[in-house]
C-alpha cells in the first residue's frame, strides 16, 4: 500500500499572468499568457506527493464559494479535509511572471483563514509524514502533538505561533528569507537547531541548499536549468521531500531528489511542470 502523506495548511486559487515587465504605477499592460491553477504551499505539496505515488490527505480551508469548485477540480486523487468556516472565501493569489521566470505575488494568505475549524487528530492516523506550512497554525500545533514518524515544516516565512510548533518537528526546510523575529536569515539554521530540530535545511534559489543534519553541515548543489517560471518551486521541493521520506528514503537522498524535482518544475509554466 502506498504511504500516506498529510499536508496541513493553505490552499488558494492562483491567477497567473505572464508579462514582459512589471507595470509602473497607473500603467496598464497586456499579458503574453494567462492561466489559473491551485496554489498554496500545502495544496501544491499534496499534488506533488500524490504524483509521486503517495496516498495524500490535504487538511486545509476551501469552503463552498464560487471559486472553490475550480480548486477542487484540480485536487482529484487527494482526500480533502476542509476546515473552512461558514462563509469562507477562498483566498486568491495574483501572480505576475516576467521573462526571467521571477514572479511577484499578491495574496491574502493567512489573513483569509481566520476562524478555521480544528481537525480531529485522527486525520494523521497512519501517516508517514505530516507536512505543515504554518498557515493553519492552530491545527498544526494540535496535530504535531501526535506521534508520527516525521513532522516536516515548510518554512516559507516566519509566522505567529511557530515557537509552539518548532519543538515538535523532526525536519524543517526554510526559504532564503526565513528568519526568527529580530534575527538574520543567515542565522536561521542555527536558530532552528536551537529548537531541537535534528534535520534542517535552507533553500537559496539557484545557490546550493544549506543543511545541518545532526552535527554535520553540508551543501547540496542545485542543477542549472533554463528558468521559465519559479512559481511554487519551494512547494514542489517540500512535496517531493515529503513523498520520498514517506517511501522510506533517508533525509539526504530525499533532499537531493526533492531539489532535482524543484529544479525541473521551473523549466515550464505552472507548479507541476516536469512532473506531468
Amino acid at each position: 500500500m502506498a504511504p500516506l502523506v498529510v499536508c496541513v495548511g493553505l490552499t488558494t486559487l492562483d491567477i497567473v499572468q505572464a508579462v514582459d515587465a512589471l507595470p509602473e504605477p497607473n500603467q496598464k499592460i497586456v499579458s503574453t499568457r494567462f492561466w489559473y491553477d491551485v496554489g498554496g504551499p500545502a495544496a501544491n505539496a499534496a499534488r506533488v506527493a500524490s504524483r509521486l505515488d503517495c496516498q495524500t490527505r490535504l487538511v486545509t480551508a476551501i469552503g463552498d464559494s464560487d471559486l472553490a469548485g475550480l480548486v477542487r477540480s484540480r485536487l482529484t486523487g487527494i482526500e480533502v479535509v476542509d476546515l473552512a468556516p461558514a462563509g469562507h472565501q477562498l483566498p486568491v493569489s495574483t501572480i505576475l511572471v516576467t521573462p526571467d521566470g521571477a514572479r511577484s505575488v499578491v495574496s491574502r494568505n493567512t489573513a483569509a483563514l481566520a476562524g478555521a475549524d480544528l481537525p480531529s487528530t485522527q486525520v494523521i492516523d497512519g501517516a508517514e509524514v505530516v507536512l505543515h506550512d504554518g498557515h493553519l497554525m492552530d491545527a498544526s500545533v494540535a496535530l504535531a502533538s501526535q506521534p508520527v514518524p516525521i513532522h516536516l515544516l515548510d518554512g516559507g516565512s516566519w509566522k505567529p505561533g511557530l515557537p509552539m510548533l518548532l519543538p515538535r518537528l523532526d525536519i524543517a526546510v526554510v526559504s532564503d528569507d526565513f528568519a526568527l523575529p529580530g534575527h538574520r536569515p543567515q542565522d536561521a539554521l542555527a536558530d532552528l537547531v536551537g529548537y531541537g530540530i535534528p534535520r534542517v535545511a535552507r533553500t537559496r534559489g539557484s545557490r546550493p541548499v544549506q543543511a545541518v543534519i545532526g552535527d554535520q553541515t553540508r551543501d547540496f548543489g542545485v542543477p542549472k536549468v533554463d528558468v521559465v517560471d519559479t512559481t511554487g518551486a519551494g512547494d514542489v521541493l517540500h512535496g517531493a521531500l515529503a513523498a520520498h521520506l514517506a517511501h522510506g528514503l533517508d533525509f539526504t537522498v530525499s533532499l537531493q531528489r526533492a531539489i532535482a524535482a524543484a529544479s525541473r518544475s521551473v523549466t515550464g509554466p505552472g507548479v507541476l511542470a516536469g512532473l506531468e
Side-chain angles (χ1 to χ4, degrees):
M1 180 180 293
L4 174 62
V5 172
V6 178
C7 300
V8 184
L10 181 66
T11 300
T12 68
L13 176 66
D14 284 0
I15 306 297
V16 188
Q17 305 264 12
V19 296
D20 291 329
L22 297 179
E24 300 291 337
N26 298 315
Q27 180 187 17
K28 295 182 179 180
I29 60 175
V30 177
S31 65
T32 58
R33 186 175 180 184
F34 160 84
W35 64 94
Y36 73 87
D37 203 354
V38 173
N44 280 333
R47 297 167 76 199
V48 172
S50 178
R51 282 161 175 77
L52 294 175
D53 301 320
C54 292
Q55 298 181 70
T56 311
R57 183 174 297 145
L58 174 61
V59 181
T60 190
I62 295 176
D64 56 4
S65 67
D66 293 340
L67 298 177
L70 295 176
V71 165
R72 292 182 185 277
S73 70
R74 300 290 179 99
L75 295 174
T76 55
I78 297 170
E79 180 187 351
V80 176
V81 178
D82 191 358
L83 306 180
H88 175 74
Q89 290 294 317
L90 182 76
V92 175
S93 294
T94 302
I95 302 172
L96 300 180
V97 179
T98 48
D100 60 357
R103 80 281 191 270
S104 298
V105 183
V106 179
S107 180
R108 293 191 68 218
N109 285 355
T110 305
L113 302 182
D117 298 330
L118 286 177
S120 164
T121 56
Q122 292 179 340
V123 300
I124 62 172
D125 285 354
E128 296 295 328
V129 178
V130 180
L131 181 146
H132 308 269
D133 73 10
H135 288 284
L136 285 171
M137 187 60 71
D138 290 344
S140 283
V141 170
L143 295 176
S145 66
Q146 305 301 308
V148 298
I150 296 173
H151 282 285
L152 164 66
L153 175 69
D154 172 352
S157 61
W158 180 263
K159 297 175 180 66
L162 266 178
M164 294 290 293
L165 180 62
L166 292 177
R168 308 179 187 199
L169 299 173
D170 303 288
I171 299 173
V173 181
V174 301
S175 68
D176 195 13
D177 57 359
F178 178 94
L180 275 65
H183 291 224
R184 303 177 304 168
Q186 53 265 46
D187 297 328
L189 294 186
D191 289 337
L192 292 168
V193 169
Y195 275 93
I197 306 172
R199 291 161 288 180
V200 299
R202 178 175 176 239
T203 63
R204 301 186 299 158
S206 61
R207 294 180 293 162
V209 174
Q210 299 173 324
V212 178
I213 307 167
D215 59 356
Q216 300 294 316
T217 301
R218 62 175 294 186
D219 287 349
F220 293 82
V222 175
K224 294 185 182 301
V225 297
D226 293 327
V227 177
V228 173
D229 176 15
T230 60
T231 304
D235 306 343
V236 173
L237 186 145
H238 287 90
L241 177 62
H244 293 309
L245 290 167
H247 282 292
L249 299 180
D250 68 21
F251 177 67
T252 296
V253 174
S254 296
L255 183 58
Q256 289 171 326
R257 294 191 179 188
I259 292 168
S263 296
R264 290 193 300 271
S265 78
V266 306
T267 61
V271 172
L272 298 180
L275 289 172
E276 296 182 315

